[in-house]
Amino acid sequence: MNHTDKEIRQYFKNIFGFKPRHLDPYKIALIHRSVSDNDATFGKINNERLEYLGDAILGSVVADFLYHKYPLEAEGVLTRMRSKLVNRARLNTLAKKLGLDDMVRMDGHITQGCANGNAFEAVVGAIYLDQGYQKTYKIIIHNIFLTHLDMQTVYEEDNDFKSRILIWAQKNKRKVTFAHESVTNGKEHLYKSIVSIDNETVSDGLGFSVKKAEQAAAEKALAMIETPQE
């Protein structure tokens, strides 16, 4: 489907919240390789180069955002959150939500799926070329991610250590169990959770509830599992 310049400008104003200065990068960002335009000088024109650029810019913008939003989190947590925010499945879903599937020109026989996520990255590349890094940051984080994604849910998913270690156990065919007991620390009543892997105790954690004790113990166990052995 070919869209007029007016339609493309209106799309970015309505969905991304800004007016493009130069339209050419956005036109290219909306061309899938299956319908590449031919140019006498540059050959086939499609959004693959912009996708390459946008992938790098998107990773940088998200890393920048997470670094400042979560100043106390370790590198591993930030890395996992960034991966969750920019993975292919999430970008595909986000692109569809933004209506990119209706804007991208592609062969009708191509399954859109990943093409939508690729187009989103290409659009990010186009925005960067047209608007610069600071404006791109604002558009992607404030107009897109914080508007269409629940960042707190992503954060909580990443910090659900019990679920993560159970998923690890399932993938690696290991047996993980949690045992609990009540303990007293001075005048405070606490719960102690003990994590065992294949019936061998590997960590424990304290908390004011069983759930918090489990999370503390699971976090320690994960740190041991994920630390490379020398």
Side-chain angles (χ1 to χ4, degrees), residues 165 177-179 192-197 200-205 214 216-222 224:
I165 197 169
T177 57
F178 288 80
K192 182 178 182 180
S193 181
I194 303 167
V195 176
S196 296
I197 298 178
E200 180 181 347
T201 299
V202 295
S203 67
D204 59 57
E214 287 181 337
E219 182 177 10
K220 291 180 182 178
L222 278 170
M224 295 173 61

Side-chain angles (χ1 to χ4, degrees), residues 23-196:
L23 213 55
D24 285 347
Y26 303 97
K27 289 181 177 180
I28 296 173
L30 299 176
I31 302 174
H32 186 262
R33 64 181 179 183
S34 62
V35 290
S36 299
D37 287 341
N38 291 308
D39 182 88
T41 302
F42 298 104
K44 290 187 175 182
I45 296 177
N46 56 51
N47 65 9
E48 288 187 324
R49 280 172 52 83
L50 281 173
E51 178 192 337
Y52 158 79
L53 177 62
D55 175 57
I57 298 300
L58 183 61
S60 176
V61 164
V62 172
D64 189 344
F65 169 72
L66 294 175
Y67 180 85
H68 290 94
K69 182 173 178 61
Y70 301 105
L72 301 180
E73 291 294 358
E75 178 267 345
V77 173
L78 299 179
T79 297
R80 288 190 295 273
M81 287 189 67
R82 180 180 62 182
S83 295
K84 285 188 175 184
L85 288 170
V86 301
N87 67 39
R88 186 58 49 196
R90 192 178 297 275
L91 293 185
N92 291 341
T93 300
L94 183 58
K96 186 172 180 61
K97 192 172 184 179
L98 296 173
L100 266 176
D101 52 334
D102 292 327
M103 297 297 296
V104 178
R105 289 170 48 199
M106 65 174 62
D107 189 298
H109 295 93
I110 300 294
T111 302
Q112 288 180 313
C114 289
N116 292 333
N118 294 345
F120 180 80
E121 290 177 334
V123 164
V124 172
I127 295 172
Y128 169 72
L129 291 177
D130 183 47
Q131 302 286 324
Y133 180 81
Q134 293 301 326
K135 187 66 179 292
T136 301
Y137 178 98
K138 180 179 179 181
I139 292 168
I140 297 305
I141 297 300
H142 296 283
N143 297 6
I144 303 301
F145 276 74
L146 294 182
T147 299
H148 297 282
L149 298 177
D150 186 345
M151 302 298 294
Q152 186 60 30
T153 297
V154 176
Y155 178 80
E156 290 174 356
E157 285 175 356
D158 189 73
N159 287 278
D160 185 352
F161 301 107
K162 182 179 180 181
S163 293
R164 282 171 50 195
I165 197 169
L166 291 175
I167 291 171
W168 170 86
Q170 184 178 26
K171 287 182 178 179
N172 292 278
K173 295 181 169 46
R174 307 289 291 275
K175 180 183 178 182
V176 172
T177 57
F178 288 80
H180 315 101
E181 59 184 55
S182 298
V183 298
T184 301
N185 183 12
K187 295 183 179 180
E188 295 181 328
H189 176 73
L190 300 171
Y191 294 92
K192 182 178 182 180
S193 181
I194 303 167
V195 176
S196 296

